[in-house]
């Protein structure tokens, strides 16, 4: 799902940034009307979580604010509540020509890399020359408490389906400097207070540039590994017959290993080695191609299954606004989009039919690792496995919604005056055969909640994996004892 948007984004013609320029109320209202029209015509289920009367009231309140000249930055922030109300983590709101996480500031950015958990944040790196030690807990920035800053940012972030906040925390962990600048501004320096042990200290830190941050991120990337891999464990006999299957993403880049070939060979090995326990690591997997999730589950299902119940779309007619989307879809929608009840459904997807398990499907003990970045296709796959009671889940609640999400092919329009790109996932993927006790907007909640600490991040300690392997070892010991 994510790859579809990234691919078509490269085809857009970027415009010069309007940062600092003023838009008239008439221009703002024109962009507002384009925004509303695009959502009404392209989003498959705009009122999924926020009822139409509440959304209409929010539209009215937002339109009323556009009665004075605004900068592009002010307009961008003013419109965010409407995007958040969708509670759709796939929605895109990007200033043309700019990195989506640094839309207005390429300098004057916060110079520390932070790790967030709850309403606290710890230093896990530095983008500039600072003397703040790693592991220190940040208590305030420029006179505002870190808890107040978190409470300000979270409601204005969109990387979340339903009521999820895990994806928002993962975004803060990676892009806090950008979010802070967008909502609090970019000063030349930052005054912080921090704690190490029982001592509280303060420091003034010079701002850094976007390039400095990206150079730091690039230099601290882990060693490149294949995105799909399987590891067989022994650990001196304490963990025999255990395999770890890692799927970093559900798409492949040109020249990479073939996904289908990987699955075929990996599960043939698992069968040949008589593996009893498989740990499937899907942490930080933000998704990709829907069919990849269906294909993976066919190697893990214990019986024939339906993956999706239905895939909703808003309409099959021509849009009334300028839009960039898949030309193939526009040509084929008359064949693949059908009327159902009061709406429409997309019918061309393998997961809509009953799928049989593969010949070498694994039927042993399955453990699935998730976190807040387990999103989109990853959450769909996890929902299928969870609903079928196929696995034990460890880690943190998924970033994607359990029951459904909006993604697939995107419709992209550029607002004519502010030059902000609005990207809308046009398909609503509804999972089949769901539990009856699901709460609206929930994600996949692990059976065992395991959250990394700042110390884990700094040391590279994989707490969730360690917990999982201990769980396997403990269950093996309990089984041996009972026998």
């Amino acid at each position: 799902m994510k790859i579809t948007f990234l691919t078509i984004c490269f085809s857009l013609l970027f415009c010069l940034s309007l940062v600092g320029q003023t838009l008239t109320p008439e221009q703002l209202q024109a962009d507002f009307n384009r925004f509303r029209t695009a959502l009404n015509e392209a989003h498959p289920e705009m009122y999924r979580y926020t009822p139409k009367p509440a959304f209409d009231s929010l539209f009215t309140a937002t339109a009323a604010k556009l009665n004075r000249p605004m900068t592009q930055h002010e307009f961008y922030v003013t419109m965010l509540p409407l995007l958040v109300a969708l509670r759709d983590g796939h929605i895109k709101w990007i200033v043309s020509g700019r990195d989506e996480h640094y839309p207005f500031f390429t300098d004057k950015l916060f110079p520390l890399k932070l790790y967030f958990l709850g309403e606290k944040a710890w230093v896990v790196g530095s983008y500039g020359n600072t003397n703040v030690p790693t592991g220190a807990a940040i208590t305030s920035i420029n006179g505002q408490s870190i808890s107040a800053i978190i409470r300000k940012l979270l409601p204005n972030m969109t990387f979340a389906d339903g009521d999820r906040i895990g994806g928002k925390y993962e975004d803060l962990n990676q892009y806090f400097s950008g979010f802070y600048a967008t909502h609090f501004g970019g000063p030349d320096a930052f005054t912080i207070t921090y704690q190490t042990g029982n001592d509280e200290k303060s420091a003034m830190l010079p701002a850094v540039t976007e390039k400095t941050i990206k150079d730091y991120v690039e230099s601290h990337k882990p060693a490149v590994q294949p995105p799909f891999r399987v590891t067989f464990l022994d650990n001196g006999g304490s963990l025999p017959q255990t395999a770890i299957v890692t799927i970093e993403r559900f798409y492949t880049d040109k020249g990479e290993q073939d996904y289908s070939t990987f699955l075929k060979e990996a599960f043939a090995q698992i069968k040949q080695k008589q593996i009893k326990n498989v740990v499937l690591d899907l942490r930080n997997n933000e998704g990709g191609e829907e069919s990849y999730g269906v294909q993976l589950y066919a190697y893990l299902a214990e019986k024939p299954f339906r993956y999706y119940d239905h895939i909703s779309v808003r309409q099959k007619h021509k849009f009334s606004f300028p839009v960039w989307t898949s030309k193939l879809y526009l040509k084929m929608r008359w064949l693949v989009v059908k009327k159902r009840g009061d709406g429409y459904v997309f019918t061309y997807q393998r997961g809509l039919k009953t799928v049989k398990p593969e010949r070498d499907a694994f039927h042993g003990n399955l453990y699935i690792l998730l976190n807040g970045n387990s999103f989109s296709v990853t959450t769909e796959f996890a929902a299928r496995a969870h609903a079928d009671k196929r696995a034990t889940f460890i880690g943190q609640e998924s970033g994607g919604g359990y029951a459904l999400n909006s993604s697939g092919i995107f419709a992209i329009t550029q607002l004519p005056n502010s030059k902000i790109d609005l990207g809308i996932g046009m398909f609503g993927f509804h999972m089949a055969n769901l539990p009856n006790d699901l709460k609206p907007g929930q994600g996949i909640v692990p059976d065992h909640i395991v959250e990394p600490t700042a110390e884990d991040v700094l040391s590279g300690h994989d707490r969730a994996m360690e917990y999982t392997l201990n769980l396997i070892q403990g269950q093996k010991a309990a089984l041996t004892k009972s026998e």
Side-chain angles (χ1 to χ4, degrees):
M1 298 176 184
K2 193 178 182 70
I3 188 64
T4 305
F5 179 81
L6 291 175
T7 301
I8 59 181
C9 252
F10 286 116
S11 300
L12 291 174
L13 293 175
F14 292 123
C15 299
L16 294 175
S17 175
L18 297 178
V19 175
Q21 296 186 28
T22 301
L23 300 167
T24 67
E26 292 75 21
Q27 290 175 315
L28 296 171
Q29 290 292 343
D31 281 14
F32 173 85
N33 291 333
R34 168 75 64 82
F35 177 98
R36 187 169 189 174
T37 298
L39 286 184
N40 280 327
E41 294 185 19
H43 199 283
E45 293 156 29
M46 187 174 163
Y47 309 114
R48 178 183 299 155
Y49 297 114
T50 301
K52 188 176 186 304
F55 227 131
D56 287 345
S57 295
L58 185 55
F59 271 121
T60 300
T62 304
K65 295 178 182 178
L66 306 179
N67 62 352
R68 63 175 180 83
M70 285 186 178
T71 64
Q72 183 193 45
H73 188 175
E74 290 174 311
F75 177 68
Y76 176 100
V77 173
T78 299
M79 298 294 283
L80 276 175
L82 291 166
L83 294 158
V84 173
L86 289 169
R87 292 193 261 174
D88 173 1
H90 284 86
I91 201 74
K92 300 296 179 182
W93 184 235
I94 302 175
V95 176
S96 274
R98 301 296 294 268
D99 186 305
E100 65 177 302
H101 300 107
Y102 302 94
F104 300 103
F105 291 87
T106 58
D107 56 6
K108 299 184 179 182
L109 297 170
F110 188 71
L112 297 176
K113 180 174 175 56
L114 303 182
Y115 174 71
F116 293 84
L117 192 62
E119 292 194 345
K120 296 183 178 181
W122 294 265
V123 178
V124 293
S126 177
Y127 305 127
N129 297 317
T130 71
N131 295 319
V132 182
T134 56
I138 299 295
T139 53
S140 72
I141 301 174
N142 289 345
Q144 289 189 292
S145 70
I146 197 68
S147 60
I149 292 171
I150 294 170
R151 289 196 296 269
K152 166 75 172 179
L153 293 180
L154 288 180
N156 287 289
M157 297 171 68
T158 61
F159 187 45
D161 282 348
D163 297 328
R164 312 283 35 79
I165 61 171
K168 295 183 180 185
Y169 273 96
E170 295 295 345
D171 262 3
L172 284 180
N173 291 338
Q174 296 183 63
Y175 309 111
F176 171 74
S177 297
F179 285 112
Y180 184 92
T182 297
H183 292 281
F184 292 94
D188 293 321
F190 297 83
T191 301
I192 67 166
T193 58
Y194 63 95
Q195 287 184 334
T196 55
N198 295 322
D199 298 328
E200 183 167 271
K201 300 180 181 181
S202 62
M204 181 172 287
L205 310 177
V208 296
T209 66
E210 178 186 344
K211 182 179 184 304
T212 300
I213 293 175
K214 290 184 175 180
D215 287 346
Y216 172 94
V217 171
E218 187 66 28
S219 67
H220 286 74
K221 282 185 177 179
V224 176
Q225 298 188 72
F228 324 121
R229 53 191 183 272
V230 59
T231 304
F232 298 96
L233 303 183
D234 186 357
N235 287 5
S238 63
L239 276 170
Q241 300 176 311
T242 298
I244 299 174
V245 177
T246 302
I247 307 289
E248 291 186 353
R249 46 183 160 84
F250 283 112
Y251 64 90
T252 53
D253 289 329
K254 187 176 181 179
E256 288 184 337
Q257 65 191 129
D258 181 73
Y259 178 74
S260 298
T261 301
F262 165 77
L263 291 183
K264 182 178 180 180
E265 293 177 351
F267 282 96
Q269 284 184 289
I270 287 170
K271 185 174 184 178
Q272 188 271 327
K273 292 177 180 290
Q274 298 182 327
I275 295 298
K276 302 300 181 186
N277 305 289
V278 166
V279 180
L280 179 58
D281 191 352
L282 298 178
R283 292 171 295 175
N284 299 313
N285 183 332
E286 295 185 25
E289 299 288 344
E290 292 85 5
S291 61
Y292 280 28
V294 181
Q295 194 173 355
L296 175 59
Y297 195 61
Y299 279 98
L300 296 165
E302 295 180 315
K303 59 183 179 180
F305 63 94
R306 283 195 68 207
Y307 201 77
Y308 298 118
D309 180 80
H310 65 281
I311 302 171
S312 62
V313 294
R314 180 69 181 88
Q315 62 177 27
K316 65 187 297 182
H317 306 293
K318 184 178 180 180
F319 295 121
S320 67
F321 58 95
V323 65
W324 198 102
T325 190
S326 165
K327 292 182 180 179
L328 179 61
Y329 171 71
L330 293 179
K331 289 180 180 180
M332 299 295 293
R333 61 184 172 181
W334 302 108
L335 295 175
V336 297
V337 175
K338 306 293 183 183
K339 181 75 173 175
R340 177 187 286 185
D342 295 331
Y344 295 89
V345 293
F346 181 76
T347 59
Y348 188 70
Q349 227 294 334
R350 180 189 178 193
L352 291 167
K353 301 177 181 178
T354 299
V355 179
K356 294 181 180 179
E358 294 285 348
R359 182 184 62 183
D360 289 336
F362 173 71
H363 299 299
N365 302 316
L366 178 62
Y367 303 83
I368 298 179
L369 274 57
L370 302 176
N371 66 2
N373 256 345
S374 301
F375 188 67
S376 193
V377 175
T378 305
T379 302
E380 290 180 354
F381 168 86
R384 180 74 280 124
H386 192 278
D388 292 348
K389 298 181 173 20
R390 178 62 188 92
T392 299
F393 287 80
I394 300 100
Q396 297 162 283
E397 187 170 4
S398 64
Y402 195 132
L404 71 162
N405 74 87
S406 299
S407 52
I409 297 174
F410 277 72
I412 304 172
T413 189
Q414 186 175 95
L415 305 191
N417 300 297
S418 61
K419 306 304 180 188
I420 300 176
D421 296 329
L422 174 64
I424 305 166
M426 294 191 294
F427 296 172
F429 292 88
H430 291 249
M431 303 308 297
N433 303 319
L434 295 175
N436 294 323
D437 59 349
L438 278 186
K439 297 177 181 178
Q442 80 165 71
I444 289 86
V445 180
D447 303 290
H448 305 270
I449 301 292
V450 182
E451 296 182 315
T453 65
E455 290 80 7
D456 293 334
V457 175
L458 287 167
S459 67
H461 174 223
D462 193 339
R463 182 178 297 269
M465 183 63 76
E466 179 184 65
Y467 184 98
T468 304
L469 297 182
N470 286 338
L471 188 65
I472 292 171
Q473 189 172 353
Q475 290 178 348
K476 174 180 177 290
L479 180 61
T480 302
K481 184 176 180 180
S482 66
E483 290 176 340

